Amino acid sequence: MSAITTHATVGSTKWVTEKDLRVLVVDDDSGVLESIAEAIEDRFKVLTASSGPEALKIIEAEHPEIVLSDQRMSPMSGLELLEKVASLSPNTRRLLYTGYADIETVIEGLNRDILQRYLTKPWAVEKLHGMLDEAGKLYLKDLDRFELVSQSITRLRNKLLAHRVYGMLTNIKALQIFVEYHCYPVWDFMSLLKCLQNKLTCTKIPWQTPENMQAARMINEIVVAEETDVRQGGHGHASHYELYVEAMEEIGANTDTLCRFADLIAEGMPWPQAMKRAEVPIPAAEFMSHTLEMCQDHPAYEVAAFFLFGRENLIPDMFRKIVEGLAETENISIDAFRYYLDRHIGIDEEEHGPASVRMMKSLCGDNDMRWRLVKRAAEESLMARIKLWDGIAEAIEATQ
């Protein structure tokens, strides 16, 4: 008897909920195997194997969440099987059923963390269900949902990092066009940042205690550096947006449209009208609209997904190589750009990146519904970035 379910997939990653948990039952006695499968199939998805080697093949292919094995099997004992499972699939919960005569072997397995729980024969069905329920809860508690989301967006992330636009930045004109579009994601990053601060801390009067103090602390620390960082040479403070604008001016990029847009926002004009009035390039306007709609209409954990997954973790490092190469070939000053990129890379890698991950985990915990929405938001943010990069590439091509 064997019943296999197809799990909800996130890319190539399986997303498991309590309803989807699979138990691989291993026994070389077909009668026992069938009776156990029948006893648990109304509550779990059941896989079966009649030998250790067969079980290992299933584990390599299916990665079941729970393995329940008989101890007395030939030629591979249940303990030997679970030892291999622990090496092959460490997250799988490993359970054994055995006779009283095997108790010393079982204790050795527990002490060596080869198995995690066991049942001795004869057992009641209620005890079997109880042990499996406990194993399922512990599996889901220990599941790294952040890693699941990260794996699920690998294809989109790789597509972004391999985009043709990077290979087009071979002259100063192309770089100027790039930054004249890219400056808007730099601006709306600040909006994401402040949106999270508004949602996670108290920014109104009278003051109230933040609901999630850990997340509040993290976002406040990030705001300090992003909104009021130290200027080059240590003279005064500026936002990373202001540092970027200064870097644009240094290489002769046009900042008139960006500044006009920022001035209209400062005067209180709604952002959709400000984009049109300032004549923000359409690809950049669409990108910002996506971000600002997320800020307006979605909860903090989805905004945090845009903040964490949708921003350029590796792009600044790549960008730095490009601008330094251009500085050598075209004899231009890039001191301001180099400073901006060094600050962006250093702070993100050492502080903001890890802090953002902790914030995300704090906001979502083991709530699978939230993580699924985070996954969707992460995908949307990367697709929006790819679309923006497409628009920039087309703008560069139009000048050649």
Side-chain angles (χ1 to χ4, degrees), residues 14 54 106 108 125 129 167 177 182 207 222 225 257 263 303 309 316 321 337 347 399:
K14 292 177 179 176
E54 183 185 357
V106 168
E108 177 191 353
V125 172
H129 279 177
I177 293 171
H182 182 240
W207 178 83
I222 294 172
T257 301
D263 288 344
V303 178
F309 294 106
K321 293 177 183 178
F337 245 128
I347 292 175
T399 65

Side-chain angles (χ1 to χ4, degrees), residues 129-274:
H129 279 177
M131 185 172 76
L132 291 171
D133 286 339
E134 178 190 56
K137 286 183 173 62
L138 288 171
Y139 178 87
L140 291 172
K141 179 182 177 183
D142 295 338
L143 190 64
D144 191 338
R145 291 160 175 83
F146 173 79
E147 183 61 26
L148 279 180
V149 174
S150 298
Q151 291 176 18
S152 77
I153 62 174
T154 299
R155 181 186 62 81
L156 284 172
R157 185 173 167 77
N158 290 342
K159 183 177 180 181
L160 173 64
L161 295 178
H163 199 283
R164 74 185 193 280
V165 74
Y166 302 114
M168 301 172 72
L169 303 181
T170 57
N171 57 72
I172 189 62
K173 180 59 179 177
L175 178 61
Q176 289 170 343
I177 293 171
F178 182 91
V179 299
E180 288 165 11
Y181 282 70
H182 182 240
C183 59
Y184 295 98
V186 175
W187 177 87
D188 80 357
F189 172 84
M190 302 304 298
S191 295
L192 274 175
L193 179 70
K194 300 304 287 186
C195 173
L196 281 170
Q197 188 178 39
N198 289 338
K199 289 178 181 290
L200 298 176
T201 71
C202 183
T203 56
K204 62 183 180 181
I205 304 298
W207 178 83
Q208 301 173 31
T209 303
E211 181 178 339
N212 186 323
M213 192 60 73
Q214 182 182 13
R217 170 77 183 191
M218 289 175 196
I219 197 62
N220 278 335
E221 289 181 348
I222 294 172
V223 166
V224 170
E226 294 286 352
E227 193 172 35
T228 56
D229 201 2
V230 178
R231 280 189 176 277
Q232 189 173 2
H235 305 299
H237 299 85
S239 69
H240 281 194
Y241 164 75
E242 291 171 293
L243 295 178
Y244 195 88
V245 173
E246 291 170 3
M248 290 176 67
E249 292 171 343
E250 180 184 55
I251 65 167
N254 190 314
T255 61
D256 292 347
T257 301
L258 174 65
C259 292
R260 184 161 61 249
F261 169 71
D263 288 344
L264 291 171
I265 292 293
E267 292 169 6
M269 182 176 289
W271 56 264
Q273 287 91 324

Side-chain angles (χ1 to χ4, degrees), residues 7 60 72 78 85 88 117 166 193 252 369 390:
H7 286 205
E60 288 181 340
R72 291 179 175 267
V85 173
L88 184 65
R117 287 296 299 273
Y166 302 114
L193 179 70
M369 182 274 289
D390 289 342

